[in-house]
Amino acid sequence: MMAEFKDLKRRFVHRVQRNVVNPLGRRGPGVLLETIGRKSGLPRRTAVGGKVIDGQFWMVSEHGEHSDYVYNIKANPRVRVRIGGQWRTGTAHLLPDDDPWQRMRSLPRFNNLGVRTMGTDLLTIRVDLD
């Protein structure tokens, strides 16, 4: 029963993000994560929340291994992150052993609210910036 609910929630949130949140986020001044599409080979940009700490960009994926950008990172970990209007390149690392709830304590609160509300399978991601 719980797995069914998580799957339904994930599909609903994914649809809202793809059709509303990401188009608006790509136009705004917020943080963007650019991956290379695993099938298309084209750049894919996703609005994300996170923070640079000691030369690394930290974020939490609300759908973990089920996020399209996580699939893309698995295929090619080289990414770009737009922070404060500046693009930076780096290598993304999926950290399934990191506690995402603890990690969010050091990340922006507003984004964490969305991750906590909409998330189903949280996953910490670290981008080692070049």
Side-chain angles (χ1 to χ4, degrees), residues 2-74:
M2 185 62 159
E4 269 181 46
F5 174 75
K6 284 173 75 172
D7 186 52
L8 182 63
K9 180 179 179 181
R10 184 175 38 251
R11 285 185 291 159
F12 172 77
V13 170
H14 179 76
R15 198 171 300 233
V16 170
Q17 287 174 329
R18 177 171 277 177
N19 296 316
V20 179
V21 176
N22 281 340
L24 292 174
R26 285 190 288 264
R27 293 184 197 149
V31 178
L32 287 179
L33 174 70
E34 183 180 84
T35 60
I36 299 300
R38 64 195 175 281
K39 295 176 184 176
S40 69
L42 299 173
R44 300 293 183 207
R45 293 181 177 173
T46 305
V48 297
K51 183 177 180 181
V52 175
I53 302 171
D54 296 329
Q56 300 169 318
F57 180 76
W58 290 86
M59 60 182 277
V60 173
S61 168
E62 59 195 20
H63 299 302
E65 304 264 342
H66 302 285
S67 295
D68 285 333
Y69 64 84
V70 171
Y71 291 130
N72 292 342
I73 288 169
K74 284 181 172 183

Side-chain angles (χ1 to χ4, degrees), residues 10-11 20 28 47 55 68-69 87-89 91 96 108 113 117 123 129:
R10 184 175 38 251
R11 285 185 291 159
V20 179
D68 285 333
Y69 64 84
W87 284 101
R88 299 190 56 191
T89 59
T91 303
L113 177 63
T117 304
L123 173 68
L129 300 170

Side-chain angles (χ1 to χ4, degrees), residues 58-117:
W58 290 86
M59 60 182 277
V60 173
S61 168
E62 59 195 20
H63 299 302
E65 304 264 342
H66 302 285
S67 295
D68 285 333
Y69 64 84
V70 171
Y71 291 130
N72 292 342
I73 288 169
K74 284 181 172 183
N76 180 357
R78 292 298 294 167
V79 300
R80 292 193 325 151
V81 184
R82 188 187 74 186
I83 307 163
Q86 302 276 335
W87 284 101
R88 299 190 56 191
T89 59
T91 303
H93 302 275
L94 307 177
L95 304 174
D97 293 332
D98 191 71
D99 180 353
W101 297 98
Q102 180 68 27
R103 181 65 55 194
M104 285 192 292
R105 292 183 178 175
S106 65
L107 301 178
R109 288 185 182 169
F110 180 73
N111 181 73
N112 291 346
L113 177 63
V115 171
R116 290 173 196 265
T117 304

